[in-house]
Amino acid sequence: MKHILWVIGLATLAPTIFYFVKYLEATPGTERTSLALAGVFFVISLVFWAIFFFKRFREEGQQDISITKY
């Protein structure tokens, strides 16, 4: 489950890069939505990675606590 979150976070970087390149190649003032979509996909990617790392470090922290209890 945790690795699926990591893969989805990585996969959402593809549309981020696509829309950012589309924004860079557009003539000035014509493609504002591409930059907004790139930002949205980047934020979605960050959310998935944050959930992944939160679950990972929470699990490791609980293991450390259980080791120190004994």
Side-chain angles (χ1 to χ4, degrees):
M1 174 64 183
K2 291 185 303 183
H3 296 298
I4 292 173
L5 293 170
W6 185 81
V7 170
I8 292 172
L10 188 63
T12 55
L13 285 180
T16 301
I17 294 169
F18 172 76
Y19 284 116
F20 188 70
V21 169
K22 188 175 176 182
Y23 170 75
L24 291 177
E25 292 176 349
T27 57
T30 58
E31 279 292 329
R32 287 188 171 183
T33 58
S34 294
L35 184 61
L37 285 173
V40 167
F41 280 112
F42 184 68
V43 168
I44 291 170
S45 177
L46 288 178
V47 167
F48 278 107
W49 281 344
I51 294 170
F52 167 75
F53 284 112
F54 176 75
K55 286 186 174 211
R56 179 179 172 193
F57 291 124
R58 182 177 176 192
E59 182 179 285
E60 288 179 6
Q62 288 177 351
Q63 287 177 355
D64 290 342
I65 290 171
S66 65
I67 290 171
T68 58
K69 279 185 178 178
Y70 298 113

